[in-house]
Amino acid sequence: QKEVEQDPGPLSVPEGAIVSLNCTYSNSAFQYFMWYRQYSRKGPELLMYTYSSGNKEDGRFTAQVDKSSKYISLFIRDSQPSDSATYLCAMSKAGNQFYFGTGTSLTVIP
Amino acid sequence: DGGITQSPKYLFRKEGQNVTLSCEQNLNHDAMYWYRQDPGQGLRLIYYSQIVNDFQKGDIAEGYSVSREKKESFPLTVTSAQKNPTAFYLCASSDRGQEKLFFGSGTQLSVL
């Protein structure tokens, strides 16, 4: 079993829709949770960073962590064509060891 | 501007040749990492280094080598022993205790 599972999609939505991206994990020791956005043939860009459980909001983006269910989500409100990218979830225990999902490909159609 | 610089952006390798990918960071981060990205497979860890003059193998280290002689530099050599080197290579760094990973812009390696 992989430590982090992420639905690869592809996901296609109309402009303005709310997008929900999700990851599940198996290791209860994970405490740090990240979402990255990666455009084609570019390096991943850190979008959201959360420690432990709860919600974090930044503009149109909201990250949620539910440690009891071992489930994390990224919501994108009022999605734009520029949001079209691959979204990677990542998580870490202490000690700078990182575990990644395989990424979800998102297309926002104008 | 602080960041991670990878070069070159594109690299071509002939059979039997060793090639070196450069990674430099000016973030003053202790830890540096090399990942390989293949379509549909996510990121796989090749090598990482938590401190100068020390590094550890990741999940797919065979056919690769690294050095960490300076805090800001972590070059990756793809040796002729790596039989399937075509991939997108990403260098990353993190600060001890921060548990955030920052990436460079990547190097696409292809075989001629």
Side-chain angles (χ1 to χ4, degrees):
Chain A
Q1 182 189 8
K2 286 184 181 177
E3 299 229 42
V4 181
E5 299 277 359
Q6 183 175 9
D7 186 340
L11 187 60
S12 184
V13 301
E15 183 175 354
I18 296 174
V19 176
S20 172
L21 304 167
N22 310 294
C23 288
T24 58
Y25 62 95
S26 56
N27 193 333
S28 58
F30 289 141
Q31 297 184 67
Y32 305 90
F33 303 92
M34 290 142 276
W35 284 96
Y36 289 86
R37 178 175 61 196
Q38 185 178 23
Y39 294 114
S40 182
R41 288 295 175 245
K42 303 287 186 186
E45 170 195 3
L46 181 63
L47 268 182
M48 302 290 283
Y49 171 80
T50 311
Y51 170 68
S52 194
S53 283
N55 294 359
K56 184 173 183 178
E57 188 172 318
D58 184 2
R60 296 185 295 111
F61 298 91
T62 299
Q64 286 186 352
V65 175
D66 182 348
K67 291 190 74 179
S68 61
S69 302
K70 298 191 182 71
Y71 189 87
I72 69 170
S73 301
L74 177 71
F75 297 96
I76 307 174
R77 290 183 299 280
D78 187 25
S79 56
Q80 302 295 309
S82 58
D83 295 327
S84 298
T86 296
Y87 290 80
L88 300 165
C89 65
M91 42 202 81
S92 172
K93 310 174 264 193
N96 294 101
Q97 302 283 328
F98 298 89
Y99 299 81
F100 288 87
T102 52
T104 299
S105 176
L106 171 68
T107 300
V108 180
I109 302 167
Chain B
D1 280 340
I4 302 169
T5 301
Q6 287 189 244
S7 62
K9 193 171 178 64
Y10 300 97
L11 187 58
F12 297 91
R13 192 191 89 166
K14 295 179 182 177
E15 197 167 329
Q17 187 182 40
N18 293 352
V19 292
T20 297
L21 285 61
S22 171
C23 178
E24 303 277 332
Q25 55 101 355
N26 61 5
L27 300 168
N28 200 33
H29 285 173
D30 292 304
M32 297 187 73
Y33 308 76
W34 275 105
Y35 291 91
R36 171 177 171 146
Q37 188 173 38
D38 296 276
Q41 292 201 42
L43 297 174
R44 292 186 289 169
L45 181 64
I46 304 172
Y47 269 98
Y48 65 100
S49 168
Q50 302 271 26
I51 197 169
V52 174
N53 291 323
D54 189 40
F55 48 83
Q56 285 77 42
K57 293 182 179 179
D59 302 318
I60 55 164
E62 187 175 348
Y64 300 96
S65 66
V66 293
S67 63
R68 186 88 188 275
E69 296 177 2
K70 297 185 296 182
K71 186 175 184 178
E72 59 270 25
S73 179
F74 191 41
L76 173 74
T77 296
V78 184
T79 74
S80 56
Q82 174 49 248
K83 297 305 180 189
N84 184 24
T86 297
F88 191 55
Y89 290 85
L90 287 161
C91 179
S93 71
S94 70
D95 204 7
R96 194 174 298 181
Q98 269 208 334
E99 303 298 330
K100 291 182 191 179
L101 200 58
F102 296 90
F103 287 89
S105 56
T107 294
Q108 175 65 48
L109 176 62
S110 303
V111 177
L112 286 175

